[in-house]
Amino acid sequence: MNTNQTITIIGAGLCGSLLGLRLAERGFKVSIFEKRSDPRLQLGSRGRSINLALSDRGLRALRLVGVAEAAQQIAIPMIGRAIHGVGELLPTFVNYSGRQDEHINSISRRDLNLLLLEKLQAHSNASVFFEHECKLVDEDARTISFLHKGAYYVHAYGVAIGTDGANSAIRDRFLDQANKNRFDYSVKFLEAGYKELEIPAGADGAYLLSKNHLHIWPRKGYMMIALPNMDGSFTVTMFMPFEGDSSFGAIESDQEIVSFFEQNFPTARQLMPDLVADYRANPTSSLSTIKCHPWVLNSNLLLMGDAAHAIVPFYGQGMNASFEDVLVLDSILDKCDEDWKKTLDMYNFERKIDTDAIADLASDNFYEMRDGTADPVFLKKRKLELMLEQKYPDYFSKYSLVTFREDVPYNLAMRRGRAQDNLLMEIAAMTDLEKPVDLLQIKNRIDLIQF
Amino acid sequence: MNTNQTITIIGAGLCGSLLGLRLAERGFKVSIFEKRSDPRLQLGSRGRSINLALSDRGLRALRLVGVAEAAQQIAIPMIGRAIHGVGELLPTFVNYSGRQDEHINSISRRDLNLLLLEKLQAHSNASVFFEHECKLVDEDARTISFLHKGAYYVHAYGVAIGTDGANSAIRDRFLDQANKNRFDYSVKFLEAGYKELEIPAGADGAYLLSKNHLHIWPRKGYMMIALPNMDGSFTVTMFMPFEGDSSFGAIESDQEIVSFFEQNFPTARQLMPDLVADYRANPTSSLSTIKCHPWVLNSNLLLMGDAAHAIVPFYGQGMNASFEDVLVLDSILDKCDEDWKKTLDMYNFERKIDTDAIADLASDNFYEMRDGTADPVFLKKRKLELMLEQKYPDYFSKYSLVTFREDVPYNLAMRRGRAQDNLLMEIAAMTDLEKPVDLLQIKNRIDLIQF
């Protein structure tokens, strides 16, 4: 075991800190460089509360380093979707699973990052260097130059792993050297952008919407969602095209903001006293999917997490996929007896098919959330799926395969899930749920699916 | 007409010089900036001879500025493929078309560029500034900074068009501003790379292979091609994977070069006295397809030619597509009364579907050339197509639609061509060409194709 070997990690976000933690546990010396300043020192300025959905794949990875329970203590279980129709006072609740114990968890990105960094601090063989911005990479000389407090520091590395997110500086080096590596790269933007808003807590931190649901206001062409925070507030995200009718571009004056929300989100609007100020203060950001490959350059530089596969947020799997990257790398390190060259090659070869799958699933789910959740046939299909899940322990919907079956690779979940969806949409269109449904017959047809 | 308006063009290669010429003819003031030095001043150092296939779409564009005839005078007609089997002394000749007058033309990139630059020189309202390297673009301030002889020159522009090729500096600006523009971008490498070699002329400039064919040595997994030059030589290009059996990576020593060619290209090898020196001196380069969109930034910056759509060379359409870009822009300028904002929008909207189509056709054709030309069913299908073309004036193979029907947009040529190919491969597999063939029945089935 090369336990004396130093592994360099660029980026101390969620993926980088979990990776550092696991490699430190394995006995490697770990040096993590992070552009931003230490979040543990910024007690006052919490900024906007960004929350994420933590599900079984992520929890499995956290379990590896013993922080799954601590994470669940700062998370709020969400058992299903609360779908708010435009003219309806009360939402329709649709569970994520027909099984009792299956739910996802709303968790603060910042709090989870702090948890990982604190756990990392306990390892004497791991160091995190904040305010180190990656400026130059030379994978032949095996050096990375960081800008720190105005001065350059040249760091020599053996193996370096870029976990520096969707705007990765390490990936920029792969792009610069694209011909050398024949580095395939694609970025594809969604026609919709997003803006974060807030539903604050009520008196004494009361939740003003159902606490244990992910709230959706589907409006054909655009939508709003809300996830609960520990303090009783909800982080609201509005997804809408940049241009055209019903777009960010079409809303200009304060009055237009208010009347758009009063018309289209009347119940939510009443819970958003700071709507206009939030709308004005928060940026409208774009959403894109980034795919690239190979993830290894010169047998000593690796991309992981969002740096390797940035996806849109509509399956709630971005963080979970990045955490799963760490699990996969960890198991390949075992298989390769910690030979890093072999590990990088095998990881590069084996992991891609699954991150491509979750990228495609996430793009598709935008349309399911925005339009499907307002479609009667889709809702009937979801009801059928929940009935199937209640009755048959071996039936899992596409959503459940992706979200709750951490033992099923994403690409298998996608292929089986899509085949099931096609069949069930067909059946749902012809089924009257008011009458008795022959679930066994449906289950038998599902079991015969070839995919 | 805004004939006093100055249009800035970055890149004086084939696309940029043709574009400049056409815009100068329309009365615009044209400033072209080119990174390289003036090719007209480099009489001595011609370097390697790179030739390209000029076909009807390109000729149509050249006709617009009156240089089609001059171009044909420095080009060599190629009426079909000469396919060299591995154990065969003589090639099989397969014409490109069943019609007499349809052929493509081998032309030197450099000579064609010189022709366009010389024609441009006659326009007092057009200037070409060589040795000006684009370093900074600011589309808000409408300035581009060029590095010229060690000093920076800041150029103010109204409308600027980047025709600076596959490694476009203007496109880099689009990438830097990707979020602003939601700039979709993808680069995809082929597993094969290429290396240029040469078959020199014989005594007194004699052609040592048939002059009027594009020569192919298909070898399943790799191939070599050769195009004739005016001086009797052929420019040879070897396409082969970078790694694996039969790859550039597998050939190392001089002896390995020689024995690889003697084994796999015995007849060609005899015509290549400088094989080892050429193989060593010339780089092994990668091949990639670049797609991106939108091509307009800030309503004042446009990408055209390879900068907008770099494709692999296997349909011989790269230059033709770029020349056609100029034709399309020219006709849209008419439709929009030379309103540039409208013109850029309409060009951006209308042209993309066709350049995507030729990109996909070119990738596909790699496999057709490499493997198909050695496949008996494929060769039967090509014979059927030539028979159809001889008999029916309204039948055009996919190749002919792309290459000789400059009035059929690429995307239509692709859709119709692919549908025809599927049907004809099916028919060819079941047809014995030694017996009489019912061409009318085949033609009737083709006419019924839905695509």
Side-chain angles (χ1 to χ4, degrees):
Chain A
M1 299 282 162
N2 305 303
T3 42
N4 258 329
Q5 198 176 346
T6 299
I7 305 300
T8 299
I9 296 173
I10 302 91
L14 293 174
C15 183
S17 8
L18 179 66
L19 176 65
L21 194 47
R22 181 57 190 160
L23 294 181
E25 281 186 353
R26 292 188 74 115
F28 290 104
K29 289 184 183 163
V30 176
S31 295
I32 310 185
F33 296 88
E34 166 59 49
K35 186 169 72 173
R36 292 164 301 172
S37 56
D38 190 339
R40 289 166 296 187
L41 307 178
Q42 304 150 22
L43 295 174
S45 64
R46 295 209 29 174
R48 277 178 293 148
S49 167
I50 297 173
N51 45 28
L52 301 165
L54 175 63
S55 56
D56 290 31
R57 290 173 202 270
L59 282 167
R60 186 181 176 200
L62 293 178
R63 210 167 289 128
L64 189 70
V65 295
V67 300
E69 276 187 33
Q72 277 172 303
Q73 276 162 22
I74 54 169
I76 298 169
M78 298 185 289
I79 59 168
R81 291 170 175 161
I83 302 166
H84 300 256
V86 71
E88 295 159 17
L89 274 179
L90 291 176
T92 305
F93 296 101
V94 182
N95 281 2
Y96 280 125
S97 166
R99 280 171 275 267
Q100 286 272 324
D101 53 335
E102 289 174 347
H103 61 263
I104 60 177
N105 305 279
S106 178
I107 193 165
S108 150
R109 166 191 282 274
R110 184 188 145 88
D111 291 346
L112 182 54
N113 206 347
L114 286 175
L115 190 67
L116 291 166
L117 288 172
E118 273 153 23
K119 179 99 179 169
L120 193 61
Q121 213 168 12
H123 289 271
S124 60
N125 54 331
S127 310
V128 187
F129 304 94
F130 290 96
E131 294 171 58
H132 279 68
E133 186 180 357
C134 170
K135 298 300 267 186
L136 273 174
V137 180
D138 183 338
E139 70 284 350
D140 284 325
R142 297 193 176 222
T143 56
I144 302 180
S145 304
F146 295 98
L147 182 60
H148 175 61
K149 295 185 193 292
Y152 278 88
Y153 160 65
V154 180
H155 171 77
Y157 72 86
V159 169
I161 305 177
T163 54
D164 49 346
N167 295 311
S168 170
I170 300 296
R171 196 183 59 228
D172 283 345
R173 175 65 183 178
F174 279 63
L175 277 169
D176 284 346
Q177 301 293 306
N179 282 317
K180 172 174 165 182
N181 210 24
R182 297 193 297 287
F183 183 61
D184 289 343
Y185 173 77
S186 82
V187 53
K188 182 147 185 57
F189 284 86
L190 212 67
E191 66 270 33
Y194 72 96
K195 189 184 275 291
E196 280 167 8
L197 301 168
E198 200 199 14
I199 291 176
D204 301 323
Y207 289 88
L208 298 182
L209 293 170
S210 150
K211 174 182 176 182
N212 295 113
H213 286 91
L214 188 153
H215 295 263
I216 310 185
W217 292 259
R219 293 293 181 269
K220 292 256 172 203
Y222 60 99
M223 70 166 171
M224 202 162 76
I225 67 169
L227 276 76
N229 296 311
M230 295 291 281
D231 66 359
S233 68
F234 287 82
T235 300
V236 177
T237 314
M238 165 104 167
F239 297 95
M240 193 157 68
F242 283 90
E243 282 143 38
D245 305 334
S246 303
S247 73
F248 286 112
I251 300 174
E252 287 184 354
S253 67
D254 289 0
Q255 187 46 50
E256 281 167 353
I257 297 170
V258 171
S259 62
F260 185 83
F261 276 75
E262 282 182 349
Q263 243 174 54
N264 300 298
F265 308 112
T267 49
R269 191 271 172 271
Q270 296 175 359
L271 308 177
M272 302 167 81
D274 301 327
L275 172 64
V276 173
D278 285 350
Y279 192 97
R280 290 249 170 268
N282 296 341
T284 308
S285 306
S286 55
L287 293 158
S288 60
T289 300
I290 296 177
K291 291 181 179 175
C292 61
H293 211 247
W295 292 328
V296 179
L297 182 56
N298 232 35
S299 295
N300 63 38
L301 199 56
L302 173 69
L303 296 175
M304 288 177 72
D306 285 358
H309 45 76
I311 66 179
V312 292
F314 304 107
Y315 230 109
Q317 286 292 316
M319 167 179 64
N320 292 288
S322 293
F323 281 173
E324 200 179 61
D325 282 0
V326 177
L327 264 180
V328 172
L329 186 81
D330 186 65
S331 78
I332 293 178
L333 274 169
D334 287 341
K335 285 184 209 158
C336 296
D337 278 337
E338 294 190 349
D339 176 323
W340 276 95
K341 189 175 180 315
K342 284 188 200 162
T343 298
L344 300 188
D345 276 352
M346 191 182 288
Y347 178 84
N348 178 59
F349 184 76
E350 289 193 356
R351 180 64 175 152
K352 172 77 168 153
I353 188 175
D354 290 313
T355 60
D356 278 354
I358 191 58
D360 295 345
L361 284 164
S363 302
D364 293 351
N365 221 39
F366 174 56
Y367 303 99
E368 174 172 324
M369 289 178 80
R370 190 192 71 179
D371 307 334
T373 57
D375 168 25
V377 177
F378 174 82
L379 291 174
K380 258 204 282 183
K381 179 211 148 218
R382 281 301 290 155
K383 277 184 196 154
L384 274 179
E385 289 193 298
L386 298 180
M387 289 157 74
L388 286 163
E389 289 191 331
Q390 274 158 8
K391 190 155 175 186
Y392 300 104
D394 66 334
Y395 175 76
F396 293 85
S397 70
K398 183 176 78 185
Y399 187 88
S400 292
L401 287 167
V402 170
T403 309
F404 306 121
R405 286 292 301 271
E406 75 275 10
D407 57 325
V408 177
Y410 281 129
N411 85 86
L412 196 63
M414 177 178 75
R415 286 183 291 132
R416 170 170 276 285
R418 284 181 174 173
Q420 286 177 182
D421 276 0
N422 290 340
L423 178 64
L424 286 169
M425 282 299 281
E426 224 177 82
I427 292 172
M430 299 181 301
T431 303
D432 181 352
L433 288 183
E434 306 295 312
K435 296 183 186 160
V437 178
D438 185 348
L439 280 181
L440 180 60
Q441 195 211 9
I442 297 175
K443 177 64 166 57
N444 286 339
R445 288 183 67 185
I446 290 170
D447 289 342
L448 289 173
I449 289 176
Q450 303 283 329
F451 63 93
Chain B
M1 299 282 164
N2 305 303
T3 42
N4 258 327
Q5 198 176 345
T6 299
I7 305 300
T8 299
I9 296 173
I10 300 88
L14 293 173
C15 183
S17 12
L18 178 66
L19 176 65
L21 194 47
R22 182 57 190 161
L23 294 180
E25 282 186 353
R26 293 188 74 115
F28 291 104
K29 290 184 182 162
V30 176
S31 296
I32 311 186
F33 296 88
E34 166 60 49
K35 186 169 72 172
R36 291 163 302 171
S37 55
D38 191 341
R40 290 166 297 186
L41 306 178
Q42 304 150 20
L43 296 173
S45 65
R46 295 208 28 172
R48 276 177 293 147
S49 166
I50 296 172
N51 45 28
L52 301 165
L54 175 63
S55 56
D56 290 33
R57 291 173 201 270
L59 282 167
R60 184 181 178 200
L62 294 178
R63 210 167 289 127
L64 188 70
V65 295
V67 300
E69 277 186 32
Q72 275 171 305
Q73 278 162 24
I74 55 168
I76 299 169
M78 298 185 288
I79 58 169
R81 292 171 176 161
I83 301 166
H84 300 257
V86 72
E88 295 158 19
L89 275 178
L90 291 174
T92 306
F93 296 102
V94 182
N95 281 2
Y96 280 125
S97 166
R99 279 170 277 267
Q100 287 272 322
D101 53 335
E102 290 175 346
H103 60 262
I104 60 177
N105 306 279
S106 178
I107 192 166
S108 148
R109 167 191 282 274
R110 186 190 143 86
D111 291 347
L112 182 54
N113 206 350
L114 286 176
L115 190 67
L116 291 166
L117 288 172
E118 273 153 21
K119 180 99 180 169
L120 193 60
Q121 214 168 12
H123 291 270
S124 61
N125 54 332
S127 310
V128 187
F129 304 95
F130 290 96
E131 295 172 57
H132 278 69
E133 185 181 357
C134 170
K135 298 299 268 186
L136 273 174
V137 180
D138 183 338
E139 70 284 349
D140 284 324
R142 295 191 179 225
T143 56
I144 303 180
S145 305
F146 295 98
L147 182 61
H148 176 60
K149 294 186 194 293
Y152 278 88
Y153 160 65
V154 180
H155 171 77
Y157 72 86
V159 169
I161 305 177
T163 54
D164 50 346
N167 295 311
S168 170
I170 301 295
R171 195 184 58 228
D172 283 345
R173 176 63 184 179
F174 280 63
L175 276 169
D176 284 346
Q177 300 293 306
N179 282 317
K180 174 174 164 182
N181 210 22
R182 296 193 298 287
F183 183 63
D184 289 344
Y185 173 78
S186 81
V187 52
K188 182 149 185 58
F189 285 85
L190 212 66
E191 65 271 32
Y194 72 97
K195 189 185 277 292
E196 280 166 8
L197 302 166
E198 200 197 15
I199 292 177
D204 301 324
Y207 289 89
L208 299 182
L209 293 170
S210 151
K211 175 182 175 183
N212 294 113
H213 286 92
L214 188 152
H215 294 264
I216 310 185
W217 293 259
R219 294 293 181 268
K220 292 257 172 204
Y222 60 99
M223 70 165 170
M224 202 163 76
I225 68 169
L227 276 75
N229 297 311
M230 295 291 281
D231 65 0
S233 68
F234 287 81
T235 301
V236 177
T237 313
M238 165 103 166
F239 296 94
M240 193 156 68
F242 283 90
E243 282 143 37
D245 304 335
S246 302
S247 73
F248 286 113
I251 300 174
E252 287 184 355
S253 68
D254 289 0
Q255 187 46 49
E256 280 166 352
I257 298 171
V258 172
S259 62
F260 184 83
F261 277 74
E262 283 182 349
Q263 243 175 54
N264 300 297
F265 309 111
T267 51
R269 191 271 170 271
Q270 295 174 359
L271 307 176
M272 303 168 79
D274 301 326
L275 172 65
V276 172
D278 285 350
Y279 192 97
R280 290 250 170 267
N282 296 341
T284 308
S285 306
S286 56
L287 293 158
S288 61
T289 300
I290 296 177
K291 292 181 180 176
C292 61
H293 211 248
W295 292 329
V296 179
L297 182 57
N298 233 35
S299 294
N300 63 38
L301 199 57
L302 173 69
L303 297 175
M304 288 177 72
D306 284 358
H309 45 76
I311 67 179
V312 292
F314 304 107
Y315 231 107
Q317 286 293 316
M319 167 180 63
N320 292 288
S322 293
F323 281 174
E324 200 180 64
D325 282 359
V326 178
L327 264 180
V328 172
L329 186 81
D330 186 65
S331 78
I332 293 177
L333 274 169
D334 288 341
K335 286 184 209 157
C336 296
D337 278 337
E338 295 190 347
D339 176 324
W340 275 95
K341 190 177 178 314
K342 283 187 200 162
T343 298
L344 299 188
D345 276 352
M346 191 183 290
Y347 177 84
N348 178 59
F349 185 75
E350 289 193 355
R351 180 64 176 152
K352 171 77 168 153
I353 189 174
D354 290 314
T355 59
D356 278 354
I358 191 57
D360 295 344
L361 284 165
S363 301
D364 293 350
N365 221 39
F366 173 56
Y367 304 99
E368 173 171 326
M369 290 177 80
R370 191 191 70 178
D371 307 332
T373 58
D375 168 26
V377 178
F378 174 82
L379 291 174
K380 259 204 284 182
K381 178 213 147 216
R382 280 300 290 154
K383 279 185 194 154
L384 275 178
E385 289 192 299
L386 298 180
M387 289 158 72
L388 286 163
E389 289 191 331
Q390 273 157 10
K391 190 154 177 188
Y392 300 103
D394 66 333
Y395 175 76
F396 294 86
S397 70
K398 184 177 76 184
Y399 187 88
S400 292
L401 287 167
V402 170
T403 310
F404 306 121
R405 287 293 301 272
E406 75 276 9
D407 57 325
V408 177
Y410 281 128
N411 85 86
L412 197 63
M414 177 178 76
R415 286 183 292 130
R416 170 171 275 286
R418 284 181 174 173
Q420 287 178 181
D421 276 0
N422 289 340
L423 177 63
L424 286 169
M425 283 298 282
E426 224 177 84
I427 292 172
M430 296 180 304
T431 303
D432 181 352
L433 288 183
E434 306 295 313
K435 297 186 186 155
V437 178
D438 185 349
L439 279 181
L440 180 61
Q441 195 211 11
I442 296 175
K443 176 66 166 58
N444 286 339
R445 286 184 66 186
I446 290 170
D447 288 343
L448 289 172
I449 288 176
Q450 303 284 329
F451 63 92

